[in-house]
Amino acid sequence: MAKVKTPLSDSPNKKKKEKSSEHLQEEKVDDQQLHQDYDSADGYDSSQNESGEEIDGRSSESHQGIEESDSSEDEVAPRNTIGDVPLEWYKEEEHVGYDIAGKKIKKKVRQDKLDSFLASADDSKNWRKIYDEYNDEEVEVTKSETRLIRRLLKGKAPHAEFDPYAPYVDWFKWDGAKTPLSNAPEPKRRFIPSKWESKKVVEYVRAIRKGLIKFDKPKEEPRFYLLWGDDSSTTEKAGHGLAYIPPPKAKLPGHEESYNPSLEYIPTQEEINSYQLMYEEDRPKFIPRRFLSLRSVPAYENAVKESFDRCLDLYLCPRARKKRINIDPESLKPKLPSRKDLKPYPVTCYLEYKGHKGSVMSISTEASGQWIASGSIDGTVRIWEVETGRCLRVWEVGEAVHYVAWNPLPSLHILAVSMGQDVLLLNTGLGNDEEQKNIEQLLRLETPGSMDDPGNTTSIVSWVQDDKHGGIRLKHFKTVSSVEWHRKGDYISTLSKRLTQRIPFKLHGLPVSSTFHPTRSIFFISTKKNVRVYDLLKQKLVKKLETGLREVSSIAIHPAGDNVIVGSREGKLCWFDMDLSSQPYRILKCHPKDINNVAFHRSYPLFATCSDDCTAYVFHGTVYSDLNQNPLIVPLEILRGHSSTNGRGSYGLQIPSKAALVIYRRCRFYD
């Protein structure tokens, strides 16, 4: 039988041929339009070229005669042979590279922008020129390259003769194919169990029996469930997500709710009558009653109301989950070194200097640490030997002594004593003959002098020779509260209710205490609220330390000069790191009463405070040279043993050169 082709069988190929022919016609029209646009831009007729031949015929013949080649020999080698060397290296050179012969390729003379613009306006082919920076030349794009570029920009194939809708070629012969591709019968092995599969099954069975292959055990359902416990972790509530918070459990019934409670749970009639006088919020919700049997228990009258209130609480009251953090309290404590590793420091009373009839108001240690001077309200000034407690000398000044200060220079054994409105500069009589001659010469005034204020006719302080005590007397108009020496021993500062000396800066508030910097020309003045730091050379304010205390009582400077401790009337101690901030680095609440004085040790990392509570606190304070490491402050010892007089405890303290402490009200030495 002859097979007759139906019109439907070859309709797809016809459609493809028609579509491809239409596409070729469109491509030909587009190519002709490109020729016309290109030639009109160059300025000559697009229908014929110089030889009179048509462009379409020339282009078609040229495409038919040229064969494509993948050989690298057909490519034109670049003129410049520098390779991947950056062209920036040749910026300042006269050449741009080297040719294949090794000769320098000279740079062309560049035209300025105006000349290049005029040249481009006159040249009709300028739009086809591209500057090749690598070879330093201008390259003109040919007509065929322009056509390829324009076709690529339009998303078409580069060559016009390419047909993207070519007819499909079916390589399989369908003639006479009435059955599938293979008409062979099914093989017998497809109906017989495979012996290789049976061997594999046997291997799996043996592995399971030996325990090499283990299966997950089925999850067992719990036999018991939480009747009264928290069901927040049960599987029924897992669908609510992490935000689910279980409702609080109702209060469990106790002995009071029993139908036959004990007699101590049943209130008397007087107690029931007292319940009626209470507010409804304070009145008990349930009053226990006693029944002989469970059958005689009536229905609870508030059952519906309490259930309704419970539902309202669950619906309207918000719930929040509070996470408790399990933190060991010991881990919150700072890791401090052991006190045994921080020795030596004063622990017990070693000596007691007896001789004053009244309270000791001030003491001062000599520069070598061998002698101390003390001043009392009994009007005497005494010099003691530190090691033995022997009294070397006594001055009767006739007034209560408020403050004593020893000159910091070891060669000048001069003691400054403030009493009432006067300050005495006394010769202690220590040192060799040469030092005594120098001291006597310094303490001799040929003519009485005075320090005048240019704004006022009266003088602020007057210098008078004191022949009775062999020194100089500085007379003030108000009571002098403290005296401080400069580190070089040639200046002193005094504090009183009125200014005793003309200072080059203005004070804001009443001064409480003052001191000099141990190494630099810096002066510290503390008022009741803050501490002001002044530069004596520049005569200006350097820094203002904000204490945040109610009232400052005393200050002390670390021997290195970068740290300051401030005592207050409220029992707080502030440690300032001047390189860190103007705010306190640490605030220690150590004394329950007022802190009277604070002091640093001259060589050991120790500082101490004394208070009206008759105690003195000794601290270890190490200051590191590394600015990234904070100072180490460790409390060491609490020294007791003083008794209070008129509500006052220890008036002050001094730390000699050794690891000891001198506390004065009764002048005790602790070692």
Side-chain angles (χ1 to χ4, degrees), residues 548-564:
L549 303 174
R550 186 179 63 210
E551 184 178 352
V552 176
S553 60
S554 58
I555 61 172
I557 314 300
H558 191 269
D562 294 333
N563 293 268
V564 181

Side-chain angles (χ1 to χ4, degrees), residues 565-577:
I565 56 175
V566 179
S568 68
R569 295 295 181 187
E570 51 192 306
K572 292 183 180 179
L573 174 70
C574 295
W575 178 294
F576 286 91
D577 190 347

Side-chain angles (χ1 to χ4, degrees), residues 40-60:
S40 63
D42 287 346
Y44 61 92
D45 189 8
S46 61
S47 60
Q48 292 182 356
N49 57 2
E50 296 178 357
S51 59
E53 297 178 354
E54 293 184 354
I55 294 178
D56 293 339
R58 182 191 61 181
S59 60
S60 60

Side-chain angles (χ1 to χ4, degrees), residues 164-185:
Y165 304 104
Y168 174 71
V169 179
D170 193 358
W171 301 100
F172 186 78
K173 295 181 179 180
W174 295 93
D175 298 340
K178 297 180 180 180
T179 59
L181 297 179
S182 176
N183 200 16

Side-chain angles (χ1 to χ4, degrees), residues 113-273:
K113 293 185 177 181
L114 183 59
D115 294 341
S116 60
F117 174 74
L118 295 175
S120 62
D122 298 337
D123 190 2
S124 60
K125 298 182 180 180
N126 184 67
W127 65 278
R128 291 194 288 110
K129 292 182 180 179
I130 301 174
Y131 176 70
D132 185 5
E133 187 180 5
Y134 188 77
N135 295 313
D136 194 20
E137 60 182 3
E138 287 187 352
V139 180
E140 184 177 350
V141 181
T142 60
K143 298 179 180 180
S144 58
E145 292 173 348
T146 307
R147 296 192 201 98
L148 294 177
I149 293 171
R150 289 191 175 183
R151 291 183 65 84
L152 290 174
L153 291 176
K154 290 184 177 182
K156 299 179 179 180
H159 299 286
E161 61 272 11
F162 175 74
D163 184 11
Y165 304 104
Y168 174 71
V169 179
D170 193 358
W171 301 100
F172 186 78
K173 295 181 179 180
W174 295 93
D175 298 340
K178 297 180 180 180
T179 59
L181 297 179
S182 176
N183 200 16
E186 292 289 339
K188 186 179 179 181
R189 62 179 179 272
R190 295 188 182 178
F191 302 96
I192 300 175
S194 175
K195 62 178 181 178
W196 302 107
E197 290 181 359
S198 61
K199 288 183 179 181
K200 200 67 176 177
V201 171
V202 171
E203 290 180 3
Y204 286 145
V205 171
R206 290 176 180 174
I208 293 172
R209 289 176 180 175
K210 291 180 180 180
L212 300 178
I213 299 176
K214 296 181 180 180
F215 300 97
D216 295 335
K217 294 182 179 180
K219 294 183 179 180
E220 297 181 359
E221 295 184 359
R223 298 177 57 189
F224 309 100
Y225 60 91
L226 297 174
L227 182 61
W228 303 106
D230 188 7
D231 56 353
S232 59
S233 60
T234 56
T235 56
E236 291 85 1
K237 303 299 182 182
H240 291 278
L242 297 177
Y244 172 73
I245 300 176
K249 296 293 183 181
K251 184 181 178 181
L252 299 178
H255 295 287
E256 296 179 353
E257 285 78 6
S258 174
Y259 75 95
N260 190 12
S262 301
L263 293 177
E264 60 265 19
Y265 292 103
I266 299 176
T268 61
Q269 188 63 34
E270 295 179 357
E271 293 176 350
I272 294 175
N273 295 335

Side-chain angles (χ1 to χ4, degrees), residues 510-613:
L510 186 65
V512 176
S513 61
S514 64
T515 183
F516 289 95
H517 195 277
T519 56
R520 293 185 290 176
S521 299
I522 293 178
F523 190 52
F524 294 82
I525 299 180
S526 66
T527 58
K528 290 186 177 182
K529 296 296 182 182
N530 47 53
V531 179
R532 293 177 176 270
V533 185
Y534 295 94
D535 191 340
L536 295 177
L537 297 179
K538 298 180 181 179
Q539 299 183 3
K540 67 176 184 179
L541 181 67
V542 177
K543 185 173 288 189
K544 181 181 177 182
L545 304 180
E546 300 289 343
T547 61
L549 303 174
R550 186 179 63 210
E551 184 178 352
V552 176
S553 60
S554 58
I555 61 172
I557 314 300
H558 191 269
D562 294 333
N563 293 268
V564 181
I565 56 175
V566 179
S568 68
R569 295 295 181 187
E570 51 192 306
K572 292 183 180 179
L573 174 70
C574 295
W575 178 294
F576 286 91
D577 190 347
M578 296 183 61
D579 293 335
L580 181 64
S581 172
S582 60
Q583 300 295 327
Y585 162 66
R586 285 284 185 272
I587 298 179
L588 306 177
K589 177 63 176 176
C590 47
H591 292 279
K593 293 186 178 181
D594 299 354
I595 294 178
N596 293 324
N597 202 357
V598 293
F600 272 105
H601 198 280
R602 295 179 182 176
S603 56
Y604 287 99
L606 297 173
F607 67 95
T609 63
C610 66
S611 172
D612 284 344
D613 59 358

